[in-house]
């Protein structure tokens, strides 16, 4: 629920102190406030959300395999966080602008980012991957928490233009310890900026558990800045969608920013260079597998008869086709010209950068004809 002030609800380890509409076993939970915000979601739309999650999990698995096979330099898996990303992204309008971290590949998929563009940065072929203005989504922010400031600034621009679009920024629990996120909250609250702060609390900031970052729920920080907050089950696609719709409606109506904490779990490594077995237990992973966002929606659809064998086969075929297209697109990428690394660094010509470019070009010329 929206919290205008800090509550007395437990500490950060009380994970189930959140809004939940869909239990891990697929049964629905009644919530008069949140149910109204997803009352229009039909079985057909639920199947579409299910398809989204299955497809992006397949994308994630394929990208991980490509990295292991030497086709990508690095990859940041989202395994386990599909509902948080799909439920929120599908609540947005096309003119809402997204500022993400490096793990929101499901959000990018929902925005229509080309499959190869999802991976071009990780292959070292581009600075970011896509043109932000074609999909209204900024390229991934590698600097932890920086995107929160970008979103707040953009939202202040929206307000100055008297538009009713909204900016949304995604970040993890670890980013809330960064100054950038806290500074963004200050500015957003002070200027009533139409921005949604979406924190995916996946329990681990690389190898540090969330209990080291926060002794109380992360969502309880926002009211201290004057920003209402909600805490939802991040593995429940319906609860996430409802919370996001509430926040968006508030922003569009001039109510200013909202903070959402989606309690989820990173089932894979922080990136493919990480070994999570060094800092978390098998029992913990097994516990969270029982809360899987896809299997719970699957169970709901099975109970209503909306998930037939035909639908399953179609979804699987779609996921396999997307994975095949992704793989072919990556391995067939042509290597960029070395000097293209200087492209799009600045909006206008820059003498300092041009000097570097000329020096690098001279360096490359020393290799011409070299057979090594």
């Amino acid at each position: 629920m929206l919290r205008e002030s800090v509550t007395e609800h437990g500490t950060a380890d009380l994970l189930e102190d959140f809004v939940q509409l869909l239990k891990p076993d697929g049964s629905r939970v009644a919530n008069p406030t949140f149910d109204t915000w997803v009352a229009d979601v039909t079985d057909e739309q639920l199947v579409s959300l299910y398809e989204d999650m299955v497809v992006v999990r397949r994308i994630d698995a394929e990208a991980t395999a490509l990295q292991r096979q030497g086709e990508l330099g690095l990859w940041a898996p989202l395994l386990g966080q599909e509902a948080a990303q799909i439920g929120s992204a599908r609540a947005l309008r096309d003119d809402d602008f997204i500022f993400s971290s490096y793990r929101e590949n499901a959000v990018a998929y929902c925005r229509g980012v080309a499959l190869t563009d999802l991976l071009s940065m990780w292959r070292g072929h581009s600075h970011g991957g896509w043109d932000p203005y074609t999909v209204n989504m900024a390229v991934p922010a590698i600097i932890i928490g920086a995107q929160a400031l970008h979103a707040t600034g953009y939202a202040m621009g929206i307000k100055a233009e008297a538009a009713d679009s909204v900016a949304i920024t995604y970040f993890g629990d670890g980013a809330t310890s960064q100054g950038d996120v806290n500074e963004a909250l200050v500015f957003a609250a002070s200027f009533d900026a139409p921005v949604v702060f979406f924190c995916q609390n996946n329990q681990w900031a690389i190898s540090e558990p969330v209990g080291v970052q926060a002794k109380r729920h992360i969502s309880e920080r926002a009211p201290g800045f004057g920003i209402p907050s909600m805490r939802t089950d991040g593995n429940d696609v319906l609860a996430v969608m409802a919370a996001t719709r509430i926040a968006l409606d508030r922003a569009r109506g001039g109510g200013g920013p909202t903070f959402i904490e989606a309690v989820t779990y990173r089932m894979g490594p922080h990136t493919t260079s990480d070994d999570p077995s060094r800092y978390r237990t098998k029992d913990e992973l097994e516990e969270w597998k029982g809360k899987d966002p896809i299997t719970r929606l699957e169970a709901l659809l099975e109970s209503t008869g909306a998930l037939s064998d035909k639908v399953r086969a179609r979804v699987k075929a779609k996921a396999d086709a997307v994975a095949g297209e992704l793989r072919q697109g990556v391995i067939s990428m042509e290597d960029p010209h070395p000097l293209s690394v200087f492209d799009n660094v600045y909006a206008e010509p820059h003498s300092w950068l041009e000097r570097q470019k000329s020096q690098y070009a001279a360096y490359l010329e020393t290799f011409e004809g070299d057979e090594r």
Side-chain angles (χ1 to χ4, degrees):
M1 309 295 264
L2 284 174
R3 293 176 179 168
E4 297 290 348
S5 61
V6 175
T7 69
E8 293 302 317
H9 293 310
T11 57
D13 61 342
L14 297 178
L15 294 176
E16 295 188 359
D17 179 21
F18 47 47
V19 174
Q20 184 182 75
L21 301 182
L22 187 60
K23 292 182 179 180
D25 64 5
S27 59
R28 284 281 274 115
V29 181
N31 185 305
T33 300
F34 278 69
D35 280 341
T36 59
W37 290 92
V38 289
D40 62 315
V41 179
T42 64
D43 281 352
E44 183 180 0
Q45 290 170 317
L46 285 173
V47 169
S48 180
L49 293 171
Y50 170 75
E51 178 183 295
D52 282 342
M53 291 196 287
V54 170
V55 170
V56 298
R57 181 168 289 189
R58 186 71 175 83
I59 288 173
D60 195 61
E62 196 67 29
T64 299
L66 285 164
Q67 193 281 328
R68 300 306 191 201
Q69 294 160 6
E71 298 294 344
L72 301 178
L74 192 70
W75 179 248
L78 60 82
L79 180 64
Q81 299 180 219
E82 294 88 357
Q85 296 190 24
I86 296 296
S88 57
R90 288 305 187 194
L92 302 173
R93 284 191 337 208
D94 289 344
D95 61 337
D96 295 329
F97 210 102
I98 301 167
F99 296 84
S100 75
S101 74
Y102 44 78
R103 202 183 303 279
E104 280 69 53
N105 302 301
V107 177
Y109 171 79
C110 289
R111 294 306 263 190
V113 172
L115 294 174
T116 51
D117 288 345
L118 280 176
L119 302 186
S120 63
M121 180 183 73
W122 303 106
R123 192 173 168 86
H125 279 217
S126 73
H127 292 300
W130 58 82
D131 179 351
Y133 295 105
T134 62
V135 291
N136 280 349
M137 179 174 180
V139 296
I142 303 299
I143 299 173
I144 306 298
Q147 68 274 19
L149 282 170
H150 305 158
T152 298
Y154 190 94
M156 290 168 64
I158 291 173
K159 184 176 180 180
E161 294 180 353
D164 72 341
S165 55
V166 179
I168 183 170
T169 178
Y170 292 84
F171 47 87
D173 46 289
T176 61
S177 294
Q178 294 289 333
D180 285 4
V181 172
N182 291 275
E183 290 159 12
L185 292 169
V186 170
F187 271 86
S190 297
F191 292 94
D192 290 322
V195 56
V196 177
F197 296 94
F198 195 96
C199 174
Q200 292 175 87
N201 178 359
N202 66 16
Q203 311 306 311
W204 290 95
I206 306 182
S207 59
E208 293 292 345
V210 66
V212 175
Q213 307 263 0
K215 299 302 182 183
R216 296 178 67 88
H217 296 325
I218 291 174
S219 57
E220 293 183 2
R221 296 182 183 182
F225 292 92
I227 298 176
S229 67
M230 290 175 277
R231 192 170 195 262
T232 71
D233 182 345
N235 286 3
D236 174 355
V237 70
L238 282 176
V240 169
M241 178 172 282
T244 309
R245 285 179 167 181
I246 291 170
L248 292 170
D249 183 71
R250 183 172 186 273
R252 296 193 209 287
T258 302
F259 189 104
I260 298 173
E261 177 189 357
V263 181
T264 182
Y265 191 74
R266 168 171 57 79
M267 296 178 70
H270 178 72
T271 69
T272 47
S273 66
D274 170 43
D275 177 9
S277 68
R278 298 179 62 185
Y279 54 80
R280 69 185 187 194
T281 66
K282 291 182 179 179
D283 289 344
E284 178 181 304
L285 181 59
E286 287 303 313
E287 178 185 354
W288 279 94
K289 283 182 178 179
K291 303 174 184 178
D292 187 281
I294 295 179
T295 56
R296 72 172 67 185
L297 182 55
E298 188 174 48
L300 174 65
L301 293 172
E302 286 175 345
S303 69
T304 62
L307 192 61
S308 64
D309 290 342
K310 183 178 180 180
V311 171
R312 286 180 186 274
R314 175 177 60 77
V315 170
K316 184 180 184 303
K318 172 71 176 292
D320 290 343
V322 167
E325 181 182 344
L326 182 75
R327 171 170 288 274
Q328 183 58 37
V330 167
I331 63 178
S332 63
M333 282 185 187
E334 294 185 5
D335 290 339
H337 191 281
L339 291 179
S340 66
V341 71
F342 296 95
D343 295 345
N344 303 312
V345 175
Y346 288 94
E348 302 294 337
H350 193 286
S351 60
W352 176 73
L353 190 67
E354 288 299 319
R355 184 167 64 253
Q356 283 193 61
K357 184 175 181 179
S358 64
Q359 291 171 347
Y360 187 52
Y363 169 72
L364 292 175
E365 288 177 0
T366 66
F367 292 95
E368 289 188 2
D370 194 334
E371 297 298 326
R372 287 179 299 174

